[in-house]
Amino acid sequence: MLIRSSKILIVDDEERIRSGLSAVLLQAGYEIACAANGRDATTLLSKKDFGLALLDINLPDVSGQQVLDFIRRRQIDTSVIMVSGESTFEQATAALRKGAADFIAKPYDPQKLLDTVSAVLKKRQRKKEYLKIQERLQGSEELHRFIVDNSPDLIFMLDDQGYFSFLNEKSRQFLGCQGEDFLGRHFSEIVLSQDFEKVSQAFRYLNRGGHQATRSMELRLRPRNGGEVRHVEVWAISVEMNSLGVYATQRDQGRPMVGIYGVARDISDRKQSEELRRYHLYHDQLTNLPNRALFTDRLQIALGQARRKKQQLAVMFLDIDRFKMINDSLGHLAGDELLQKVAQRLKESLREGDTLARISGDEFTLLAPDIGGVDAADIICRKIQSVFEQPFQLHGQTVRVTFSIGYAVYPHHGQTREMLLKNADLAMYRIKGKGRNGHCCFTEEMNRINSYHFDIENSLHRAIENNELRLFYQPQLDLSTHKVVGVEALVRWEHPVRGLLYPSEFIPVAEQTKLICSIGNWVLEQACRDAVRLAEAGYSDLKMAINVSAQQLELGHFDRDFLNILGKFPLDPTRLEIEITESNLMQDMDKSMRILTTLATHDVRIAVDDFGTGYSSLSYLQTLPIHTLKIDRSFVRNIVPGGEGQNTIITAILAIAKGLDLNFIAEGVETGVQDAYLREAGCLQAQGFHYSQPIGFNKLLAFLEHWNPQRNSTNSKISPIQSYSSSKS
């Protein structure tokens, strides 16, 4: 029945032969599959198990000899009988050498075919049975002894009192001595004292027996020669005696437990690797300080202790001021070295029970448990800042490091780990916003400000999409004629809940969240659209001034984006003037030069806003393609009655503008005194509340329509906006 259940593959290119063979073998009870060529045969042999293949030598694509080579190469467990009409001695010999079981010539006798197939399959069956017997014989004592002695693990047996009765050859590596030297000794002689109780409990458990009593544990062994302590993983099982020897089986009455069989595997390398991995999991690799995960874990433990003992603790965020500038100037390797030096100096200035952690590039956190309250935390901050008054020497350069530190104290500023960390972080950002190099304790006012910023940030994402932004325009006047020569586009936000918001209320948030570029593009496009509408209304000579942020310049492709938007409108580029603050202009002179030069070559005008507040060097005025200087409002504000001597800065800047043939605009003009002084000093243009507040586009059209410069002489004491307001009333 086993032979009849074998599956046979018939491979022959002649349909008549395949059909004949199939009929004979099917009638004999065999399961049959057929292949018409060698390729099909190799495919079937790869996918299915066949006990026997009847293989024609001459096949149209792949010869039978090649199929036989395929079977041998792939080590496919299939017996092969070669079938051929050209039965030559050479072919038969070649096939038999390649592993064929027999050879049948065409035409074949059906009975002889069946006898040959049966004989080959019986031989195959006998071979399989022989291999099974061989496998059983491999359980001999000699083979077992060889396997035990050459095992990579320490194999041992203890008697029922815990004394060694057997150790294999691995004892030399594990224990530093021959196995015979340890026979009759107690296991406690090699187990580290800290693990002895663990082993004793396991031994008592195994000694009590039970159904297949086994135990697994990790231990530390102490070699006799005083070598390095080894970590081992031990699997032990209680064993019992019967008439045939020692067996690890269920314990029965009359079969006493004779001891314990165990295997100890050396896991010292693994334990060392695990310790290293665990260390790196909870420590910063650069400074070896605890990382965020370990810090939060210790903070959680410290909070539990503080609650029980009714103590206070402080959580601090410490951020290195302007670290990016140091890193960019000296290089990342020097920056890493500086971080290591900073970490070391911080550790030396703290108490033993404090936890200092590095949680990001230049940011550290500090846990100070059991302190006296806010005043004590303030003292710690002052101490940290004092120890960094001494600069570092780094690669031949003197580097000074200052910190912005924010802190929160439990329980006053939070009851949970998350709340304390959040509040300390808020305090740190507050001190950074105030100019850095200081420390600050959390207050509830910070929460209110943060909540406001959070609401503004979430709403700002929808402002452009929901068409909530508005452009207001402040007229710029020629002081000699009091004609409107231009307008400055100023963005406002029509918030659905908070009402009209000014730039100071949302632009800082937009800059932090990188939304300023999207807002800037919207402003540019809307300003161009309104400039076209002004031209259509008859004001084609008005200049349109548009503010540009530092982040827009940092993109590197601001000039391309600007010109793409400008290209959408039928607008003369000379009517557009972009305003860039002096500080933003100087952040990256090379990039500013490239972008502004590109825009200037396309006839776009460039203005420097807030001039006079940032840099003493004025060489960039000759280097960059600048057309206009806008003096900062802080200088105009100083123009007061009787204060002529205080206005020399304005006179000097006017002289610079005239010398470089630059246009000059004074902003923030709010009084008639300021207007008169600027006109007498030779200032060409001005803007401010004295003339007009920023107004919407429709009001701007009305303003321009009713503006009548003939009503106002140059000596008039009535401002243009007052005249405009009077005409409207």
Side-chain angles (χ1 to χ4, degrees), residues 554-603:
E554 288 175 3
L555 287 177
H557 50 75
F558 169 73
D559 49 350
R560 184 186 66 201
D561 294 346
F562 187 100
L563 294 173
N564 286 340
I565 293 174
L566 182 59
K568 298 178 182 179
F569 301 94
L571 197 61
D572 182 1
T574 58
R575 291 184 55 203
L576 295 183
E577 183 171 80
I578 62 170
E579 296 187 1
I580 306 170
T581 62
E582 190 177 14
S583 57
N584 291 342
L585 193 66
M586 301 298 292
Q587 284 187 10
D588 190 335
M589 276 292 293
D590 291 337
K591 186 178 291 184
S592 298
M593 170 71 78
R594 180 181 61 78
I595 291 174
L596 298 184
T597 300
T598 301
L599 293 176
T601 56
H602 286 79
D603 297 328

Side-chain angles (χ1 to χ4, degrees), residues 238-473:
S238 57
V239 296
E240 56 202 34
M241 180 73 73
N242 65 13
S243 58
L244 297 177
V246 177
Y247 286 85
T249 60
Q250 182 176 350
R251 199 170 174 193
D252 298 325
Q253 292 295 331
R255 290 184 178 180
M257 199 279 288
V258 297
I260 294 170
Y261 165 81
V263 177
R265 175 164 296 170
D266 189 350
I267 58 171
S268 299
D269 291 340
R270 191 185 84 189
K271 295 295 289 186
Q272 185 177 2
S273 177
E274 287 176 354
E275 288 295 325
L276 186 62
R277 187 164 56 249
R278 189 179 298 111
Y279 181 84
H280 287 315
L281 189 63
Y282 294 106
H283 289 80
D284 172 55
Q285 295 188 33
L286 178 65
T287 61
N288 289 323
L289 292 176
N291 60 12
R292 186 189 299 271
L294 182 55
F295 180 85
T296 53
D297 185 59
R298 289 187 180 176
L299 175 56
Q300 191 65 38
I301 295 171
L303 279 172
Q305 293 175 342
R307 290 190 190 99
R308 288 192 299 272
K309 299 179 180 179
K310 300 188 183 307
Q311 295 173 340
Q312 300 181 76
L313 62 82
V315 175
M316 301 182 181
F317 269 86
L318 302 87
D319 190 85
I320 301 177
D321 297 327
R322 299 180 180 87
F323 178 74
K324 185 178 184 301
M325 183 183 69
I326 299 173
N327 216 20
D328 292 344
S329 302
L330 302 180
H332 291 288
L333 291 178
D336 288 348
E337 184 179 341
L338 178 63
L339 285 171
Q340 291 171 333
K341 291 177 179 291
V342 166
Q344 184 61 36
R345 190 177 290 186
L346 280 171
K347 284 195 296 185
E348 292 172 354
S349 67
L350 300 175
R351 302 174 303 171
E352 186 176 350
D354 297 339
T355 296
L356 176 70
R358 179 180 178 229
I359 59 172
S360 67
D362 59 351
E363 197 168 64
F364 299 82
T365 52
L366 173 63
L367 166 63
D370 190 16
I371 64 170
V374 173
D375 291 340
D378 190 79
I379 292 172
I380 294 174
C381 294
R382 293 181 186 278
K383 180 181 179 182
I384 290 172
Q385 291 180 312
S386 67
V387 299
F388 282 94
E389 291 176 357
Q390 183 70 23
F392 293 95
Q393 296 301 318
L394 196 65
H395 295 191
Q397 297 194 43
T398 300
V399 179
R400 296 186 180 276
V401 171
T402 61
F403 278 96
S404 295
I405 307 174
Y407 63 92
V409 177
Y410 169 86
H412 312 294
H413 306 137
Q415 302 285 325
T416 65
R417 176 182 65 188
E418 292 77 13
M419 188 61 68
L420 287 168
L421 288 170
K422 180 180 79 71
N423 291 342
D425 196 32
L426 283 176
M428 186 266 289
Y429 276 104
R430 170 56 63 89
I431 202 68
K432 289 183 78 71
K434 288 185 174 181
R436 304 180 175 89
N437 190 19
H439 59 277
C440 177
C441 181
F442 169 79
T443 63
E444 283 301 326
E445 175 65 19
M446 296 177 191
N447 250 340
R448 288 191 290 273
I449 294 173
N450 187 59
S451 177
Y452 171 79
H453 280 196
F454 184 73
D455 176 65
I456 291 295
E457 178 182 341
N458 285 338
S459 302
L460 198 55
H461 281 277
R462 302 188 298 269
I464 300 175
E465 187 178 315
N466 295 342
N467 195 29
E468 296 171 3
L469 296 181
R470 305 282 183 268
L471 276 189
F472 279 51
Y473 296 96

Side-chain angles (χ1 to χ4, degrees), residues 690-726:
H690 179 63
Y691 313 110
S692 173
Q693 298 182 19
I695 51 180
F697 184 79
N698 292 333
K699 288 186 178 181
L700 175 65
L701 288 177
F703 180 90
L704 295 172
E705 182 180 350
H706 291 84
W707 188 262
N708 185 358
Q710 298 304 322
R711 292 184 181 179
N712 304 287
S713 66
T714 55
N715 296 321
S716 173
K717 302 222 180 203
I718 301 175
S719 73
I721 187 59
Q722 289 172 327
S723 174
Y724 167 69
S725 300
S726 299

Side-chain angles (χ1 to χ4, degrees), residues 420-542:
L420 287 168
L421 288 170
K422 180 180 79 71
N423 291 342
D425 196 32
L426 283 176
M428 186 266 289
Y429 276 104
R430 170 56 63 89
I431 202 68
K432 289 183 78 71
K434 288 185 174 181
R436 304 180 175 89
N437 190 19
H439 59 277
C440 177
C441 181
F442 169 79
T443 63
E444 283 301 326
E445 175 65 19
M446 296 177 191
N447 250 340
R448 288 191 290 273
I449 294 173
N450 187 59
S451 177
Y452 171 79
H453 280 196
F454 184 73
D455 176 65
I456 291 295
E457 178 182 341
N458 285 338
S459 302
L460 198 55
H461 281 277
R462 302 188 298 269
I464 300 175
E465 187 178 315
N466 295 342
N467 195 29
E468 296 171 3
L469 296 181
R470 305 282 183 268
L471 276 189
F472 279 51
Y473 296 96
Q474 186 169 43
Q476 296 174 335
L477 278 73
D478 185 317
L479 294 184
S480 62
T481 64
H482 274 138
K483 287 184 178 181
V484 178
V485 293
V487 293
E488 180 181 0
L490 300 168
V491 67
R492 301 287 187 267
W493 180 8
E494 192 71 50
H495 194 282
V497 177
R498 300 179 183 273
L500 190 67
L501 299 182
Y502 290 86
S504 60
E505 298 176 271
F506 65 90
I507 289 298
V509 178
E511 290 176 338
Q512 291 175 9
T513 57
K514 308 299 183 183
L515 287 172
I516 190 65
C517 295
S518 298
I519 293 175
N521 288 339
W522 180 89
V523 168
L524 174 59
E525 192 156 343
Q526 185 61 41
C528 289
R529 188 176 291 109
D530 287 345
V532 172
R533 294 169 64 191
L534 284 172
E536 292 172 348
Y539 305 104
S540 58
D541 57 341
L542 288 184

